[in-house]
């Protein structure tokens, strides 16, 4: 069975911090272990930011100088819920080993595979149990299953569901929903000599059955009560064109289709622009085949 994955860029800043952690270790082998663990944890942290899930990097044992020097740990803390273990795989590896010290008090395990140059990682999937410590890629559950599992944990902890309305008016005051990042962060490993690099734009990476795309929202006030909104969808990573037949759908407050744009075979992006009044609500759905992701907004 083909494994569906999500690609996450790894920027220079976090690679620099991982190198700093690695340089503290007694041997080169231990330094490499710490370097990969740090990047794996950060990649999952960033993915959870896109899902509006709070994490606390500093509370993980792998962020503690003494503990990361003694043990092989890649833990990420979700406040009020517990720890996920984020295990790294090198390119072409198909089996993940989870050491005994990383099997204690975990609410799940995510497997993260690096690209050849370590500039991107792929989230391959997750499992809730690792048995004696060896997990093959084919045994992993999907990221959709991971989100369902996480939502159950959030519900048990009385934390709101992942889906919530994004307040666009707050963006004009530099108050951003955590999972919506700057264009420089979204396209960290891609030239930004592009027309869409607007100061008032924010973006979010979305995985559609292994195809990662970015939705970019640009705002322009027309007056004190009215905003011009531009929605664009771009390919990311090494892709030049969007997958054909990918759809960008604008939904009314009641969920009815207002407008739909479909990507052709050589489209580098698709877009739709409209104006809205403060307080109005709308939805955006991105669809590829049988897979779709929706976001809700209030102006």
């Amino acid at each position: 069975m083909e494994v569906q994955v999500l690609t996450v860029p790894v920027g220079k800043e976090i690679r620099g911090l991982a190198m700093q952690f690695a340089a503290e270790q007694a041997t080169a082998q231990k330094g490499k272990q710490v370097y990969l663990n740090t990047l794996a944890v950060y990649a999952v942290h960033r993915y959870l930011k896109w899902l509006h899930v709070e994490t606390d990097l500093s509370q993980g044992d792998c962020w503690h100088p003494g503990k990361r020097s003694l043990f092989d740990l890649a833990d990420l803390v979700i406040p009020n819920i517990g720890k996920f273990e984020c295990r790294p795989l090198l390119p072409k590896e198909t089996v993940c080993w989870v050491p005994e010290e990383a099997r204690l008090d975990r609410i799940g395990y995510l497997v993260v595979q690096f690209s050849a140059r370590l500039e991107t990682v792929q989230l391959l999937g997750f499992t809730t149990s690792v048995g004696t410590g060896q997990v093959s890629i084919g045994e992993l559950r999907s990221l959709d299953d991971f989100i369902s599992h996480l939502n159950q944990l959030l519900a048990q902890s009385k934390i709101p569901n992942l889906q919530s309305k994004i307040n666009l008016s707050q963006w004009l005051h530099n108050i951003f929903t955590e999972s919506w990042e700057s264009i420089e962060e979204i396209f960290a490993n891609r030239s930004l000599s592009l027309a869409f690099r607007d100061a008032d734009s924010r973006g979010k990476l979305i995985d559609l059955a292994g195809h990662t795309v970015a939705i970019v929202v640009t705002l322009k006030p027309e007056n004190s009560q009215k905003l011009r909104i531009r929605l664009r969808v771009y390919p990311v990573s090494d892709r030049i064109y969007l997958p054909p037949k990918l759809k960008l759908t604008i939904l009314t407050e009641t969920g009815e289709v207002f407008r739909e744009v479909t990507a052709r075979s050589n489209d580098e992006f698709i877009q739709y622009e409209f104006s809205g009044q403060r307080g109005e609500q709308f939805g955006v759905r991105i669809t590829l085949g049988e897979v779709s992701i929706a976001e809700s907004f209030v102006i």
Side-chain angles (χ1 to χ4, degrees), residues 33 36-37 39-41 44 62 71-75 84-90 93 95-103 106 108-114 122-125 127 130 133 135 140:
Q33 178 193 96
L36 294 175
N37 285 351
L39 295 184
V41 169
V44 175
C62 65
F71 305 107
D72 181 3
L73 299 169
D75 56 324
F84 280 104
E85 185 70 18
C86 314
R87 299 308 305 180
L89 274 185
L90 290 174
E93 289 184 338
V95 177
C96 176
W97 169 252
V98 182
E100 187 172 356
E101 62 263 32
R103 297 178 225 158
R106 300 296 190 264
Y109 306 81
L110 288 110
V111 178
V112 177
Q113 189 158 47
F114 287 86
Q122 292 184 325
L123 304 189
L124 301 185
T127 181
V130 294
V135 181
L140 295 174

Side-chain angles (χ1 to χ4, degrees), residues 233-235 240-243 261-270:
V233 181
Y234 290 94
I240 299 175
Y241 303 114
L242 288 169
V261 183
T262 303
R264 297 162 297 186
S265 58
N266 294 321
D267 278 337
E268 296 183 8
F269 65 87
I270 55 176

Side-chain angles (χ1 to χ4, degrees), residues 249-259:
T249 306
I250 315 304
L251 305 170
T252 66
E253 182 177 348
T254 58
E256 298 173 350
V257 175
F258 174 71
R259 193 73 66 199

Side-chain angles (χ1 to χ4, degrees), residues 21 27 54 70 80 86 97 100 102-103 122 126 140 144 156 175 186 199 205 257 268 293 298:
F21 287 175
T27 66
E54 179 187 357
L70 292 174
N80 303 313
C86 314
W97 169 252
E100 187 172 356
R103 297 178 225 158
Q122 292 184 325
F126 95 112
L140 295 174
D144 285 342
Q156 292 168 4
I175 302 172
I186 290 292
L205 294 180
V257 175
E268 296 183 8
I293 299 292
V298 59

